[in-house]
Amino acid sequence: MKVFAISDLHLSGCNPKPMDIFGAGWEGHFEKIKNDWREKVTDDDIVLIGGDTSWGQKLEEGMFDVNSLAPLAGRKVFVRGNHDYWWNGITRVRNAAADGSFTFLQNDCVKFGNVIVAGSRGWACPGSSDFGEHDMAIYLREAERFKLAFQAAEKVREEGDILIALMHYPPCTVKGEDTLFTELFEKNGVNKVVFGHLHGSYYYPFRFEKGRIEYRLTSCDKVKFSLVQIY
């Protein structure tokens, strides 16, 4: 079993949005992702999808894009991104899922073999360029959601298991300063962290280690529209 990850697919099957306005590389980006996916992933593998899956505004629009991943191999694990407006209530999302290979996380976890994935959206962190006073309450709330996710993980974790944290937002600033997220990851023995959100020329390391935890940025344009093998 292998674990792959990719984030920020920004699909728009119901109301097509031209993505090449964000750069020439985005032209036909979903076909690039699918072609790479087919070459790498088997039905025994896991694919982590770190938010911003769909531009859809309504649940049925978002699920149309999510369901476009159903024919692709592997078990898919999703968290919500800041543009996933269609994701309005975790119960509604789970009930709308048409495929058994989908798992949607929100302050909880899922276990496959010896791999546990704990996830939530996260939020902008203090010290980040996009963090303002109004963000503090959401930041604190998202940290509490990760506490719940790790409580759930602790109930199923066994010796030798790998614990992966899946989120949408970067877990710390570009300088690597400690945040509530990184402190929780270290406290709860997380092995790897997967995130997205960042695009274009914005600088952030693709892969780094902090507190003996490996962090991976997987926004699809940052990784050339290909899946990143995490484990």
Side-chain angles (χ1 to χ4, degrees):
M1 179 179 67
K2 298 177 181 177
V3 181
F4 297 92
I6 193 165
S7 179
D8 299 79
L9 303 185
H10 287 294
L11 305 179
S12 56
C14 289
N15 298 294
K17 180 171 181 173
M19 291 299 295
D20 56 357
I21 62 174
F22 299 106
W26 282 93
E27 186 173 354
H29 79 289
F30 191 31
E31 288 303 316
K32 297 176 187 176
I33 292 169
K34 288 191 290 185
N35 289 338
D36 182 73
W37 192 311
R38 294 185 185 108
E39 290 181 1
K40 294 177 176 176
V41 183
T42 72
D43 286 336
D44 294 328
D45 298 331
I46 303 165
V47 180
L48 310 180
I49 302 170
D52 280 4
T53 304
S54 171
W55 285 113
Q57 298 288 312
K58 300 177 181 178
L59 179 61
E60 57 268 26
E61 295 172 346
M63 291 309 302
F64 182 92
D65 290 326
V66 168
N67 288 332
S68 69
L69 302 174
L72 299 170
R75 293 160 287 187
K76 300 91 174 175
V77 182
F78 301 82
V79 291
R80 184 182 182 183
N82 60 304
H83 288 295
D84 285 321
Y85 298 115
W86 57 274
W87 185 314
N88 187 10
I90 187 63
T91 301
R92 293 180 69 234
V93 170
R94 287 171 175 165
N95 289 341
D99 192 277
S101 70
F102 297 153
T103 300
F104 301 90
L105 294 182
Q106 184 170 295
N107 50 279
D108 54 2
C109 73
V110 63
K111 184 174 182 179
F112 304 102
N114 70 325
V115 175
I116 302 171
V117 184
S120 196
R121 178 182 56 181
W123 199 251
C125 298
S128 300
S129 59
D130 57 348
F131 188 88
E133 289 184 11
H134 65 286
D135 291 304
M136 181 58 75
I138 306 176
Y139 167 71
L140 294 173
R141 184 182 69 195
E142 286 295 319
E144 290 299 317
R145 284 181 166 174
F146 262 111
K147 287 181 182 179
L148 294 174
F150 293 135
Q151 288 173 12
E154 186 61 29
K155 294 178 181 179
V156 298
R157 193 173 191 179
E158 300 175 288
E159 186 176 353
D161 285 347
I162 300 296
L163 179 57
I164 301 174
L166 176 62
M167 62 194 303
H168 178 64
Y169 282 86
C172 58
T173 68
V174 69
K175 296 179 180 179
E177 298 161 308
D178 287 333
T179 66
L180 291 176
F181 300 127
T182 61
E183 291 171 1
L184 282 169
F185 298 158
E186 292 177 24
K187 179 180 178 180
N188 288 278
V190 170
N191 301 104
K192 300 173 185 289
V193 178
V194 174
F195 63 98
H197 183 62
L198 303 176
H199 296 290
S201 60
Y202 187 94
Y203 173 74
Y204 200 101
F206 288 88
R207 182 176 184 174
F208 63 97
E209 188 172 299
K210 178 177 171 61
R212 297 185 180 181
I213 301 171
E214 180 185 54
Y215 290 79
R216 300 294 293 269
L217 170 61
T218 62
S219 302
C220 67
D221 56 325
K222 290 287 194 180
V223 295
K224 299 181 179 179
F225 307 99
S226 59
L227 277 65
V228 177
Q229 186 170 338
I230 301 299
Y231 174 71

